[in-house]
Amino acid sequence: MNLEDQNLEWRLCEAYFSILETNVPSEVSLDIICTVSKISLEEANKIVPNNLMNQRIFFLKILISKLDREVLSELKADINDDTVSSTYDKLLEGLSLRFEKYLQYKQPLINLSKNSKQKIEIFLNVFKENYMFSSNLLTLIEEDQNCGIKILKSIALNIVFTKSLEIFLKDQNKDIDSVIRYLDKNLSDIEDIGLFMGV
């Protein structure tokens, strides 16, 4: 995909989430997204799926990919010369930073997953993105590792993140302090299990 199409995608994505910020329409039509983003319907139709469920997943994946790239880039800069922090601390920092990025989109994410069916659909469709983030995070922090162990760790991190995401979406606070406490506890539990199993 060329840079112009990527820019169009992001502008449409921003428009979509800005609409979800202010209200919870039963449908967000492509016409409305185009009006808000000031992109023609003809241009949008070339890159956006026709089905409304597919549109939700389409825009969510764009958002997650962009935020995850930012998180990994910022974390890389933070830990580049860090020889003091443990692997655990770096993983916690990476996952915490991810929630900080999500915080600015919290209301739209809540509105996007209002009922259990939507939550399940979204979870199943973005599982790959969450797994890839966990895998890339581990690669950044622990360069040389066994492929099988890395897969297990990525799945474990994905589970920790998903459980913490539930708290994030339910929490009424404007910060992520309670989410980080929950994240810290679950990450610690997973680490204890991993140490017990020799992973």
Side-chain angles (χ1 to χ4, degrees):
M1 180 181 290
N2 63 44
L3 188 59
E4 185 180 340
D5 284 349
Q6 285 180 340
N7 289 334
L8 283 176
E9 271 189 356
W10 179 242
R11 284 172 58 198
L12 289 163
C13 182
E14 282 186 309
Y16 178 75
F17 281 99
S18 71
I19 293 164
L20 286 180
E21 178 77 45
T22 54
N23 58 26
V24 196
S26 56
E27 300 180 351
V28 180
S29 72
L30 192 53
D31 287 330
I32 295 170
I33 297 169
C34 288
T35 301
V36 173
S37 65
K38 298 179 174 59
I39 293 173
S40 74
L41 187 58
E42 183 183 7
E43 284 181 297
N45 273 323
K46 292 176 185 173
I47 54 177
V48 179
N50 294 327
N51 179 287
L52 286 171
M53 176 59 194
N54 290 342
Q55 281 180 14
R56 284 200 299 265
I57 299 304
F58 175 77
F59 289 124
L60 188 58
K61 285 183 176 182
I62 292 169
L63 178 70
I64 289 172
S65 294
K66 182 177 188 299
L67 296 181
D68 285 352
R69 283 193 304 272
E70 290 175 6
V71 168
L72 293 169
S73 177
E74 288 178 30
L75 184 66
K76 185 176 182 179
D78 286 349
I79 66 171
N80 196 30
D81 297 320
D82 185 353
T83 56
V84 178
S85 299
S86 67
T87 298
Y88 178 90
D89 292 334
K90 292 174 184 176
L91 288 172
L92 182 61
E93 183 182 349
L95 293 172
S96 301
L97 187 54
R98 196 178 194 208
F99 277 111
E100 284 177 27
K101 295 286 183 185
Y102 279 33
L103 189 59
Q104 61 187 314
Y105 296 97
K106 184 173 183 174
Q107 192 57 52
L109 291 171
I110 290 170
N111 293 342
L112 196 59
S113 56
K114 275 292 185 188
N115 60 53
S116 297
K117 184 181 178 209
Q118 286 177 321
K119 281 182 185 173
I120 291 166
E121 285 174 339
I122 287 168
F123 170 75
L124 291 174
N125 280 283
V126 299
F127 184 84
K128 181 182 174 187
E129 280 70 21
N130 287 333
Y131 173 80
M132 288 306 298
F133 173 80
S134 299
S135 179
N136 290 334
L137 180 63
L138 286 166
T139 299
L140 180 64
I141 293 169
E142 302 177 329
E143 292 175 10
D144 298 323
Q145 50 188 306
N146 176 289
C147 186
I149 290 174
K150 183 180 177 184
I151 290 169
L152 288 174
K153 286 182 177 181
S154 296
I155 292 169
L157 284 177
N158 200 352
I159 291 167
V160 168
F161 177 79
T162 304
K163 287 173 73 175
S164 301
L165 186 60
E166 276 290 314
I167 303 298
F168 174 76
L169 294 174
K170 288 178 184 172
D171 191 5
Q172 300 296 316
N173 292 324
K174 300 287 186 193
D175 58 40
I176 56 169
D177 293 347
S178 59
V179 178
I180 301 306
R181 284 194 298 275
Y182 188 82
L183 181 63
D184 190 12
K185 180 194 178 305
N186 280 296
L187 194 58
S188 178
D189 290 346
I190 289 286
E191 184 185 46
D192 290 344
I193 293 167
L195 288 172
F196 177 74
M197 295 174 66
V199 176

